[in-house]
Amino acid sequence: MAADQELQRRSVEHPPEDPEAHGNPEDDDDEEVDDDDEEEEEASNELLGRLSDGTVRVRVHDVVIRGNVVTKESIIEAEVADLFRSVSTLKELVQAAATANAMLRQLGIFDSVSITLDAGPPELTDTANVVIQLVEAKNPLTGDIGIYTRPEARTWTLEGSLKRKNYFGYGDIWDASLAYGWDQTTELGVGVYLPRFRVLSSPLSARISLLTQDWLKFSSYKEHLLGLSLGLFSKREHDLSYNLTWRALADPSQMASKSVRRQLGHSLLSSIKYTFKVDHRDSFLRPRTGYAFLSTTQIAGLGPDSKSVRFLRQEFDLRGALPLDFYNAALNVGVSAGFVMPWGRGFMNNCSPLPDRFFMGGHSSPVCTLAGPTSLLGFKFRGLGPTDSRRHIPSRTGSGSEDSTASPGRDVLGGDIAVTAFADVSFDLPLKLFREAGIHGHAFVCVGNLAKLLPQELKSFSLHKFRETVRSSAGFGLIIPTKLFRMEINYCYILKQFEHDQGKTGIQFNFSSP
């Protein structure tokens, strides 16, 4: 390369002096030695300067791959070819090598990846060879098991998974997973992930899953799902997927409200979902600067089947963080909104599917994650919004008479339109021990609301009425960040709630994953 040739040329132009030609080395002039050192230092500084400003021209002559026993060479070349093809300087080559190393590691099928830059053939000046040395996973079969929490619903799940990596040599990852929840939620899934498929540059994924969810406590129904999910496109900010799901809603308690009973039975969900997401915040656990944006669009009913549900669901989520000039403080603000509506022939007389509506409340922080209009501190999971009275079934007393005084409770119905917003100020605490551990305080205000847009209610809906029924809460607390999650100990004060809402003033523990 030019850098090597320059170093060689300088060695030829200034050969080392022979001590015997000048007699005793002790008689050499010290000033000449100092001059040689200065010239070498100047040459070194000049070369470093040329490397840093990108003036050393170079192009990649060949990419040599070593160590791949199972992995197809075409898969590795496809991952790095575009990076090295566009290189024109030594500085760009070093950057491309670092990027290629990270991309190959992200495949998850290698124990180690090392990339060496070597000079190209002597007859081809200003060329370099890239040598990629790989160590494939010694044990392609891996598994894990653990207990995880769903903070928004205050439930725990036991989850286990088994993965088989690179079975066919295409970077393919096969996995099987099982999750069992204490709230009687069970999920079994089998899937495959391909980093590349033929000429497609985007990874593909497919998954078959069987899911059972128990919503009897909140909305008097159980949900059974058998579905196929296909990841069609996934690259940086964009994600496109297709879902085909058979869904059945049942009421084993026989106490569901009229609104829920209308939704019971079987249906087919054939939908395409597109997600656009950017997150330029400096931290997920404690953002101090930057912004994040999420947009999710789902169109369901892509099929001629009469049992296929047809609806359009749209969500927006915007976050922003601004540093303040005291106690390492920062202001985080966010607003989320979404709507779901049926479409197709006679859609004005139809209502949206119950499981696909918006539900609000829970114990997850609105600062960390982009999850749409769902979080509202101080309210229980599915703790606000439209409800309907459950069917009353009189119970028999010991004397044989019927007891009609017991309240059957109410079913949470969710909303077709939902909006939430929050403002949160985080700050360091005066104790040095807390600052060193990353423990800090915060104060917050949250507002939110959701409403139904059923045919009989659409005519009476107004933005003025929607604003008047907004729920709100405020509070302060202590935040304990860890590498795995963010824990909050908050005192929440309910500013505004309505009948049948489940909000409570007092201490609340929140756990949020980034």
Side-chain angles (χ1 to χ4, degrees), residues 28-216:
D28 289 346
D29 189 359
D30 293 338
E31 294 182 359
E32 295 181 1
V33 176
D34 293 339
D35 292 340
D36 291 341
D37 292 340
E38 291 178 359
E39 290 182 2
E40 291 180 0
E41 183 177 357
E42 291 178 359
S44 177
N45 291 336
E46 181 183 352
L47 178 59
L48 291 176
R50 294 181 61 194
L51 293 178
S52 62
D53 63 16
T55 58
V56 178
R57 309 296 297 180
V58 68
R59 60 184 178 85
V60 176
H61 172 260
D62 192 14
V63 177
V64 182
I65 302 173
R66 298 172 181 169
N68 55 314
V69 179
V70 179
T71 311
K72 307 296 183 183
E73 191 167 301
S74 59
I75 294 297
I76 304 170
E77 290 177 345
E79 288 290 322
V80 302
D82 292 338
L83 289 172
F84 293 120
R85 187 180 294 118
S86 59
V87 165
S88 59
T89 66
L90 184 58
K91 183 179 180 180
E92 293 178 354
L93 178 59
V94 173
Q95 294 174 346
T99 303
N101 190 302
M103 293 177 63
L104 293 176
R105 288 178 180 273
Q106 288 176 359
L107 294 178
I109 60 176
F110 303 115
D111 285 342
S112 67
V113 178
S114 62
I115 298 180
T116 304
L117 306 180
D118 197 3
E123 64 274 12
L124 298 177
T125 60
D126 297 339
T127 61
N129 290 334
V130 179
V131 181
I132 302 176
Q133 185 68 46
L134 306 169
V135 177
E136 294 178 332
K138 295 181 180 179
N139 186 8
L141 188 64
T142 61
D144 60 75
I145 187 170
I147 297 178
Y148 303 89
T149 179
R150 292 174 58 197
E152 69 279 1
R154 283 192 172 181
T155 61
W156 300 80
T157 58
L158 175 64
E159 300 180 14
S161 64
L162 192 65
K163 290 184 179 181
R164 178 59 167 90
K165 301 178 181 180
N166 210 22
Y167 184 77
F168 293 106
Y170 292 97
D172 47 297
I173 299 179
W174 301 79
D175 74 281
S177 62
L178 174 65
Y180 176 79
W182 270 251
D183 60 346
Q184 300 183 21
T185 296
T186 305
E187 182 177 9
L188 175 64
V190 178
V192 61
Y193 171 84
L194 290 172
R196 286 179 179 268
F197 182 73
R198 298 185 182 276
V199 296
L200 299 178
S201 60
S202 175
L204 295 178
S205 63
R207 189 166 194 83
I208 299 175
S209 59
L210 176 63
L211 173 64
T212 298
Q213 295 189 97
D214 188 345
W215 302 111
L216 291 173

Side-chain angles (χ1 to χ4, degrees), residues 221-238:
Y221 72 91
K222 268 192 172 183
E223 185 179 14
H224 304 276
L225 301 165
L226 176 61
L228 169 66
S229 177
L230 300 176
L232 304 178
F233 181 82
S234 180
K235 200 168 186 179
R236 292 188 178 180
E237 299 93 358
H238 307 276

Side-chain angles (χ1 to χ4, degrees), residues 375-394:
S375 180
L376 190 59
L377 296 180
F379 291 82
K380 293 183 178 181
F381 180 64
R382 294 198 175 194
L384 69 152
T387 61
D388 193 5
S389 179
R390 293 173 180 167
R391 177 189 293 177
H392 179 63
I393 302 178

Side-chain angles (χ1 to χ4, degrees), residues 323-445:
L324 303 178
D325 294 332
F326 60 93
Y327 291 105
N328 197 30
L331 171 64
N332 278 267
V333 295
V335 60
S336 306
F339 69 89
V340 56
M341 60 176 294
W343 66 275
R345 180 179 299 177
F347 74 96
M348 290 296 294
N349 298 320
N350 297 328
C351 58
S352 59
L354 178 60
D356 300 297
R357 296 175 186 169
F358 295 95
F359 295 89
M360 199 172 292
H363 298 271
S364 59
S365 171
V367 175
C368 292
T369 56
L370 299 171
T374 57
S375 180
L376 190 59
L377 296 180
F379 291 82
K380 293 183 178 181
F381 180 64
R382 294 198 175 194
L384 69 152
T387 61
D388 193 5
S389 179
R390 293 173 180 167
R391 177 189 293 177
H392 179 63
I393 302 178
S395 59
R396 296 264 179 192
T397 62
S399 60
S401 61
E402 294 183 349
D403 180 13
S404 59
T405 59
S407 173
R410 303 184 69 85
D411 287 335
V412 180
L413 304 180
D416 300 313
I417 182 172
V419 177
T420 61
F422 78 92
D424 181 284
V425 177
S426 61
F427 49 87
D428 282 347
L429 298 173
L431 294 180
K432 182 179 179 181
L433 179 64
F434 285 172
R435 291 198 302 270
E436 292 178 349
I439 301 173
H440 57 282
H442 78 135
F444 60 87
V445 176

